[in-house]
C-alpha cells in the first residue's frame, strides 16, 4: 500500500508540474492580450473559423495559442469566461474546437515513431486521426452557429481597438498576473485532488483490469489474429503497437490497410484508458461542471466519428 501511495504522489506531482505552469501562463497571457487590446489585431487569422461558429475573437486567439499549448489555449478561454467576455455555451463549444490543434500537433511525437516502423502507412494513420478531429471541430462550430448569436456587441470595444487597451510595460504583466491569481488558485484546488484520485486508481491496478477487459473484446472483431495483436498492444503502448505492426508488415503477415485499421480500432478502444489524463486535465482547467460537459461531448463525438470512419474503411478495404 505504501508503494502505491508513493507512486501516486510521484505521478501526480509530475503531471501537475507539467500542466499547472502552462495553464497559469495561458491565463496570464489572456489577461495581458485583453489589457493591450491586441485581440482584434490577430482576429483576421481565425475570422473564418469564428465567424462560421458565431464565436468571439477571443476564442480565435485561444485556438491559435492551442497549437503551441492546449493547456495555455484553454486557460485563455477560462480567463475570458471569468471576465465575462464569453458565456458558458461559448466556453463549451470553443473548448471542443480547441482539441483540434492538439490532434494536429501529435505529429511531433507520432510520426517520428510511426514512419520508421510502418512507413507511409504511418502518414495514412495520422491523416485519419486529423480527419476525425477536423470533423469533430466542424460539428462543434456547427453547434455554435445554431446555438450562439452572431455579432455579439460585447466585442465591439475589442474590435475597434478601444476600451482597456494600454501600452506594453512590465507593470501590465504584473497587473495581469494579479488579476489571474484567483482563477489559478481555484484551478489548483480542483486539479490536485482529482489528479491524486486518478493516479491512485491507476497504481492500484483499476485501469489495468479495464485494459485486460478491453483486450478480451478484441476477439470479437473481424480482424486476423495478427491484426488483433496490434489492437491489444495499442491498449498498452502506442510505440508497442507501431513496433508490432512494423514487424508484421515486414514479414508480410498483414497488409498496410490491416495495420491502419488495427491501429484505429486500438486508438478508439484506448479512449477509456486515456481518461486517466483527460479527467484531471479538464476538471483542473474548467472545473467539474464544464469539465464533465467538455470531456463527455468531445469524447462522445470522437467515438461516433471514429466508429463511422472504421465502418467505412472496413467496407472499402475488406
Amino acid at each position: 500500500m505504501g508503494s502505491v501511495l508513493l507512486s501516486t504522489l510521484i505521478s501526480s506531482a509530475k503531471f501537475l508540474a507539467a500542466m499547472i505552469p502552462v495553464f497559469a501562463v495561458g491565463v496570464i497571457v489572456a489577461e495581458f492580450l485583453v489589457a493591450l487590446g491586441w485581440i482584434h489585431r490577430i482576429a483576421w487569422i481565425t475570422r473564418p473559423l469564428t465567424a462560421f461558429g458565431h464565436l468571439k475573437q477571443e476564442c480565435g486567439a485561444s485556438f491559435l495559442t492551442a497549437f503551441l499549448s492546449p493547456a495555455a489555449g484553454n486557460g485563455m478561454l477560462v480567463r475570458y469566461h471569468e471576465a465575462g467576455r464569453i458565456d458558458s455555451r461559448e466556453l463549451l463549444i470553443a473548448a471542443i474546437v480547441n482539441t483540434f490543434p492538439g490532434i494536429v500537433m501529435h505529429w511531433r511525437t507520432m510520426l517520428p515513431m510511426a514512419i520508421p516502423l510502418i512507413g507511409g502507412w504511418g502518414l495514412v494513420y495520422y491523416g485519419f486521426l486529423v480527419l476525425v478531429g477536423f470533423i469533430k471541430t466542424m460539428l462543434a462550430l456547427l453547434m455554435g452557429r445554431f446555438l450562439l448569436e452572431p455579432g455579439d456587441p460585447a466585442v465591439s470595444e475589442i474590435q475597434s481597438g478601444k476600451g482597456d487597451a494600454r501600452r506594453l510595460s512590465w507593470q501590465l504583466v504584473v497587473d495581469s498576473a494579479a488579476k489571474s491569481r484567483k482563477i489559478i488558485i481555484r484551478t489548483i484546488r480542483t486539479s490536485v485532488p482529482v489528479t491524486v484520485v486518478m493516479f491512485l486508481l491507476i497504481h492500484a491496478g483499476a485501469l489495468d483490469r479495464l485494459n485486460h477487459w478491453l483486450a478480451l473484446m478484441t476477439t470479437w472483431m473481424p480482424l486476423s489474429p495478427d491484426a488483433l495483436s496490434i489492437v491489444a498492444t495499442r491498449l498498452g503502448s502506442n510505440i508497442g503497437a507501431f513496433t508490432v505492426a512494423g514487424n508484421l508488415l515486414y514479414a508480410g503477415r498483414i497488409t498496410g490497410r490491416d495495420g491502419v485499421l488495427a491501429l484505429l480500432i486500438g486508438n478508439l478502444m484506448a479512449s477509456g484508458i486515456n481518461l486517466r489524463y483527460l479527467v484531471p486535465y479538464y476538471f483542473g482547467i474548467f472545473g467539474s461542471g464544464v469539465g464533465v460537459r467538455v470531456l463527455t461531448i468531445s469524447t462522445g463525438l470522437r467515438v461516433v466519428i471514429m466508429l463511422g470512419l472504421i465502418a467505412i474503411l472496413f467496407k472499402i478495404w475488406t
Side-chain angles (χ1 to χ4, degrees):
M1 185 62 181
S3 61
V4 171
L5 290 176
L6 180 60
S7 298
T8 296
L9 292 176
I10 293 174
S11 298
S12 299
K14 289 181 178 179
F15 178 83
L16 292 168
M19 192 269 285
I20 293 296
V22 176
F23 168 79
V25 169
V27 173
I28 295 171
V29 168
E31 183 65 39
F32 185 70
L33 292 177
V34 170
L36 283 175
W38 280 5
I39 298 298
H40 71 288
R41 300 181 187 178
I42 61 175
W44 63 271
I45 300 176
T46 56
R47 184 168 289 121
L49 183 86
T50 55
F52 178 78
H54 291 173
L55 298 172
K56 296 188 181 71
Q57 294 179 5
E58 289 91 337
C59 298
S62 169
F63 181 77
L64 290 177
T65 303
F67 278 98
L68 300 175
S69 168
N74 286 327
M76 293 174 71
L77 286 179
V78 173
R79 182 65 193 105
Y80 294 140
H81 179 252
E82 288 285 316
R85 295 180 178 271
I86 61 176
D87 61 25
S88 298
R89 287 189 299 181
E90 196 165 6
L91 172 65
L92 175 62
I93 292 169
I96 297 172
V97 171
N98 273 8
T99 61
F100 182 68
I103 295 170
V104 173
M105 299 311 291
H106 271 333
W107 72 267
R108 295 176 296 182
T109 55
M110 181 183 298
L111 295 184
M113 292 188 303
I115 292 179
L117 291 169
I118 60 177
W121 290 106
L123 285 172
V124 175
Y125 172 62
Y126 169 75
F128 281 134
L129 293 182
V130 172
L131 176 62
V132 170
F134 176 77
I135 294 173
K136 182 177 73 172
T137 297
M138 294 308 297
L139 289 175
L141 290 172
L142 199 60
M143 290 168 53
R145 191 167 185 85
F146 283 103
L147 296 176
L148 303 175
E149 293 293 330
D152 193 318
V155 298
S156 59
E157 290 187 353
I158 300 175
Q159 291 171 333
S160 64
K162 300 177 182 178
D164 52 5
R166 294 154 63 184
R167 290 184 178 181
L168 181 64
S169 68
W170 174 249
Q171 186 59 44
L172 189 58
V173 176
V174 174
D175 292 343
S176 299
K179 290 181 179 179
S180 305
R181 181 182 176 184
K182 181 180 177 181
I183 187 173
I184 293 173
I185 292 175
R186 190 186 67 192
T187 299
I188 293 174
R189 288 175 177 172
T190 302
S191 59
V192 169
V194 173
T195 300
V196 171
V197 169
M198 287 303 299
F199 279 105
L200 181 61
L201 291 173
I202 292 171
H203 291 293
L207 292 186
D208 288 337
R209 287 189 284 273
L210 173 62
N211 194 354
H212 177 69
W213 180 76
L214 289 173
L216 292 176
M217 289 181 61
T218 60
T219 58
W220 305 343
M221 298 177 184
L223 291 172
S224 67
D226 289 325
L228 286 174
S229 67
I230 300 174
V231 178
T233 306
R234 175 61 183 83
L235 295 175
S237 168
N238 204 17
I239 299 176
F242 287 134
T243 303
V244 172
N247 290 332
L248 292 173
L249 279 170
Y250 181 78
R253 299 183 63 173
I254 63 170
T255 65
R257 294 177 177 181
D258 292 336
V260 170
L261 275 172
L263 287 169
L264 288 172
I265 292 173
N267 185 285
L268 174 64
M269 295 184 68
S271 297
I273 300 173
N274 291 338
L275 292 176
R276 58 185 172 178
Y277 299 115
L278 295 177
V279 169
Y281 174 81
Y282 282 111
F283 278 40
I285 291 178
F286 296 107
S288 57
V290 177
V292 166
R293 283 180 285 170
V294 172
L295 185 56
T296 302
I297 296 174
S298 180
T299 303
L301 285 174
R302 183 179 182 277
V303 168
V304 170
I305 296 167
M306 186 77 83
L307 283 172
L309 174 63
I310 292 172
I312 292 172
L313 293 178
F314 262 115
K315 188 173 181 62
I316 295 175
W317 283 357
T318 59

